[in-house]
Amino acid sequence: MPNAISKIFAVILAALVMFYFVTYQQYKKQEDLAYIHTYQEVTKFVDSVRLKGYITPKEWEEFELGLHQGSNVLYDIELVHEQKKYQPIYTNGTAIEPASFTGKYEVQYDEYFKEQLFEVLYDESVPYNQRMYKLQKDDYFTVTVQNKTKFQSTMLLSMLTGGKAGTNDTTIYFPYGGMILNEDWND
């Protein structure tokens, strides 16, 4: 009798493990597809901005819509525009005495973030079809996307391990950017 109970228990346990593994793999595949979709949307948007040198509200809205289309994943999106500035170098550290200018310049970058870009993109005083955030050649533009929603595969893994694994909810973390190549806004 104890031998029969152990065999029944082993069969039930094997069935549960197989069901769990198949379910986990299915959810993991959905996670992989979400990553690929995120990769495609981010690279398409950033490469477009880098080639043109500007962002319009319509392009931003299409990017957000494309990112969320066909998926129930919520994303945290960070935009960074690093504007190139040349600072003259002085021997005394200030520009009070013009004779202290060394003839050299130092390259620095001023950073502008999503909120500052949106102030320009969604300025109510400018007609919608004329709104544009302009970037200059040799500036840097970066978009970083990460998921805010917990994936089902992470929840299953956390359930199996008792919360020891899968504590990091960020599964998709994708930074992408580069140097602005053109200024198509410059007529």
Side-chain angles (χ1 to χ4, degrees):
M1 183 74 172
N3 196 14
I5 292 175
S6 64
K7 287 182 182 178
I8 292 172
F9 180 73
V11 168
I12 292 172
L13 185 63
L16 286 174
V17 167
M18 286 191 306
F19 174 75
Y20 180 86
F21 181 74
V22 169
T23 305
Y24 177 77
Q25 288 300 319
Q26 184 69 25
Y27 288 149
K28 193 70 173 159
K29 186 67 152 176
Q30 289 176 355
E31 182 182 314
D32 292 343
L33 291 173
Y35 185 86
I36 291 169
H37 180 72
T38 302
Y39 171 82
Q40 290 173 337
E41 290 297 323
V42 171
T43 55
K44 182 172 70 171
F45 175 69
V46 171
D47 289 347
S48 170
V49 171
R50 290 180 57 223
L51 286 174
K52 295 187 300 184
Y54 64 86
I55 307 168
T56 64
K58 183 178 186 231
E59 292 170 340
W60 170 255
E61 291 160 6
E62 287 174 355
F63 166 65
E64 269 195 321
L65 181 66
L67 197 59
H68 293 99
Q69 196 169 23
S71 139
N72 59 355
V73 181
L74 297 176
Y75 294 99
D76 183 28
I77 306 169
E78 295 177 22
L79 304 176
V80 179
H81 168 214
E82 297 177 50
Q83 187 176 26
K84 191 176 196 178
K85 299 280 185 179
Y86 294 98
Q87 296 289 12
I89 299 175
Y90 297 95
T91 55
N92 64 358
T94 63
I96 295 173
E97 299 175 29
S100 67
F101 178 58
T102 62
K104 296 180 182 177
Y105 293 90
E106 179 180 69
V107 176
Q108 296 179 349
Y109 288 92
D110 290 340
E111 291 186 340
Y112 300 95
F113 298 95
K114 184 177 180 178
E115 294 78 22
Q116 294 153 319
L117 274 68
F118 279 14
E119 288 175 8
V120 175
L121 284 178
Y122 294 103
D123 182 9
E124 296 293 328
S125 64
V126 179
Y128 182 81
N129 60 350
Q130 294 177 1
R131 296 178 192 170
M132 180 185 302
Y133 184 84
K134 299 175 182 178
L135 299 101
Q136 297 173 346
K137 191 174 182 197
D138 297 334
D139 289 355
Y140 284 96
F141 180 71
T142 307
V143 174
T144 303
V145 175
Q146 68 181 33
N147 65 300
K148 291 195 296 188
T149 348
K150 196 171 193 178
F151 282 97
Q152 293 169 326
S153 60
T154 308
M155 289 188 268
L156 272 177
L157 184 62
S158 180
M159 182 183 76
L160 180 68
T161 61
K164 302 288 185 217
T167 55
N168 186 4
D169 295 344
T170 302
T171 307
I172 296 176
Y173 180 80
F174 188 68
Y176 186 73
M179 187 179 285
I180 302 300
L181 303 173
N182 293 315
E183 294 177 1
D184 285 352
W185 52 267
N186 196 1
D187 297 324

